[in-house]
Amino acid sequence: MDIEPKTRTVIPRYQQIAIEVAARIANGEYGEGEKIYARSSLASQYGVSPETARRAICILSDLGIVSSEKGSGIIIRSQKKAADYIQQNSKLETIDTIKENLLKSVSRQKKEMDYLNECMKDLIEASVHFRSMNPFMPFEIRITKDCVYLNKTVTEIQFWQHTGATVIAVSRKDMVMKSPGPYVALTEGDTIYFIAQDDTADRVKGFLYPGK
C-alpha cells in the first residue's frame, strides 16, 4: 500500500477569523477597552453566518482576549493574550509543516524503493532470460593468495570432477590463454574463465575458497 502524505489540516473558518482578529489586536490596531464589533457586523465583514461569527468570538472570549455581552458588542480585554494566542498558533503551524514535509519525504522514499525493486526484478528476469539464451556465457573468478589450490594444476585438483565446470581461458598479467588445457596452474593474480551450469559457479567459489 502506497504511503501518501496527508494534506495539511484545514483550519475552520471561525478559527481563521479568531486568529485574524487576535492579530489585529496584538498589532495594536485595536486598544484594550475598545469596542470593535457587534456579532452581526463581524459576520457581515467576513462574509460568514452569524453562527460562524459567534464561534470565533467564543474562542477569543474563552482565551480572555475579548469579552462579549449581549447589547454591548465585542470589547478588547488583553493585547498580551492576543499576542500569546498568535504565537501559539504559529508554533502549531510550524509543527504541522514539519509533519507534512516528513510525510512527503517518506512518500518519495517509498516510491523510490518501489522503483528500485521493480528495476531489480527486471534485471533478474533479464539476466535469467539472457543466460538461458546464452548457456555458454562464461563466469570468472579471481585467484588470490587465499586460494587453497594456489600453484596447483587443474588436473591435480580435479577441477571438473569437483565442480562440474570447464575452464575455457586464463587471464594472466597481459596475456589471455584460451583453452589452456588441464595442466595450467592456478597462479595468484590469475582470472579463471569457466563454463558452468545451474549452481556450478557457486561450487567453484566454494571449492577454491572453502568457508568464504
Side-chain angles (χ1 to χ4, degrees):
M1 180 182 295
D2 291 340
I3 300 175
E4 294 294 340
K6 296 180 180 179
T7 56
R8 184 179 300 183
T9 302
V10 177
I11 300 175
R13 183 59 180 142
Y14 67 86
Q15 189 173 344
Q16 293 177 14
I17 295 172
I19 292 170
E20 289 179 29
V21 173
R24 298 173 78 173
I25 295 171
N27 292 336
E29 185 174 338
Y30 304 125
E32 293 181 358
E34 183 178 346
K35 178 180 176 181
I36 54 173
Y37 301 114
R39 185 186 305 172
S40 58
S41 61
L42 183 66
S44 176
Q45 179 176 346
Y46 285 96
V48 297
S49 67
E51 175 59 21
T52 298
R54 185 191 69 79
R55 297 179 71 178
I57 295 169
C58 284
I59 290 177
L60 298 174
S61 180
D62 290 343
L63 293 172
I65 298 172
V66 303
S67 64
S68 175
E69 297 181 6
K70 190 173 182 179
S72 300
I74 303 169
I75 300 173
I76 308 303
R77 294 303 180 195
S78 175
Q79 186 179 29
K80 180 181 183 304
K81 288 182 179 180
D84 290 343
Y85 176 51
I86 296 301
Q87 185 178 17
Q88 180 185 22
N89 185 72
S90 176
K91 289 179 180 179
L92 290 175
E93 286 189 344
T94 299
I95 293 172
D96 194 43
T97 299
I98 293 172
K99 287 169 63 179
E100 182 182 10
N101 290 338
L102 283 172
L103 286 172
K104 286 182 178 179
S105 178
V106 170
S107 178
R108 286 195 299 269
Q109 292 180 37
K110 175 65 167 55
K111 289 179 180 178
E112 289 172 0
M113 286 301 299
D114 287 344
Y115 176 71
L116 178 60
N117 288 335
E118 285 299 317
C119 288
M120 289 296 295
K121 181 181 177 182
D122 291 343
L123 177 60
I124 291 171
E125 290 178 353
S127 297
V128 171
H129 179 67
F130 183 72
R131 193 169 295 283
S132 67
M133 295 177 61
N134 299 272
F136 298 108
M137 187 177 71
F139 291 88
E140 64 180 75
I141 189 166
R142 183 81 169 174
I143 303 300
T144 69
K145 63 181 180 179
D146 297 321
C147 177
V148 295
Y149 298 110
L150 204 59
N151 300 319
K152 298 286 186 179
T153 68
V154 172
T155 297
E156 287 177 314
I157 64 176
Q158 297 184 311
F159 184 81
W160 181 84
Q161 290 87 341
H162 285 99
T163 66
T166 301
V167 176
I168 61 170
V170 175
S171 175
R172 180 174 296 167
K173 296 183 179 179
D174 296 328
M175 177 179 63
V176 176
M177 296 179 283
K178 298 179 180 179
S179 302
Y183 300 107
V184 64
L186 305 182
T187 304
E188 182 179 353
D190 286 353
T191 298
I192 307 299
Y193 298 89
F194 59 92
I195 298 296
Q197 294 181 353
D198 301 327
D199 63 343
T200 304
D202 292 331
R203 274 188 279 158
V204 169
K205 182 178 179 180
F207 178 63
L208 299 178
Y209 300 97
K212 297 203 175 193

